[in-house]
């Protein structure tokens, strides 16, 4: 995650909002995998806003899928009531390919 944060800081300092949004999209995944859902959610929400501002609707849809998967992977509530069975399964790992997330082509 350190390298994602460094890349994000560099891209922001250069005014490279396109790649900053992509980096935020990628940064959420390790946070989610480590159970740091608030950090994952924050990164993905910021990526979502930026992608929409840039007219990157397919990337925005991917971020929404990641947020939805995160919401469905929540652990039982503090009240002790378990979540519905369909929400217990771990979120699928985001897939990337040469033609996805942040591709400019």
């Amino acid at each position: 995650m350190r390298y994602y944060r460094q890349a994000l800081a560099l891209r922001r300092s250069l005014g490279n909002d396109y790649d900053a949004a992509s980096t935020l999209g990628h940064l959420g995944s390790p946070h989610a995998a480590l159970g740091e859902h608030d950090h994952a959610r924050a990164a993905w929400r910021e990526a979502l806003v930026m992608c929409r501002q840039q007219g990157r609707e397919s990337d925005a849809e991917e971020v929404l899928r990641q947020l939805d998967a995160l919401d469905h992977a929540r652990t039982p509530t503090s009240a002790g009531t378990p979540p519905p069975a369909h929400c217990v399964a771990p979120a699928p790992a985001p897939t990337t390919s040469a033609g996805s997330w942040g591709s400019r082509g």
Side-chain angles (χ1 to χ4, degrees), residues 8-78:
L8 181 59
L10 178 62
R11 289 170 173 160
R12 284 182 168 160
S13 73
L14 296 172
N16 186 341
D17 291 338
Y18 186 98
D19 287 332
S22 296
T23 301
L24 283 163
H26 292 296
L27 179 60
S29 297
H31 280 300
L34 292 171
E36 299 171 351
H37 294 177
D38 290 340
H39 292 292
R41 192 172 285 107
W44 285 334
R45 284 182 178 160
E46 188 175 353
L48 178 63
V49 169
M50 293 177 76
C51 286
R52 285 181 171 162
Q53 289 173 341
Q54 297 166 8
R56 297 166 56 185
E57 290 307 313
S58 63
D59 288 338
E61 289 173 17
E62 175 65 23
V63 174
L64 283 173
R65 283 191 291 273
Q66 291 171 308
L67 284 165
D68 186 53
L70 183 65
D71 288 341
H72 285 90
R74 286 190 173 175
T75 57
T77 64
S78 59

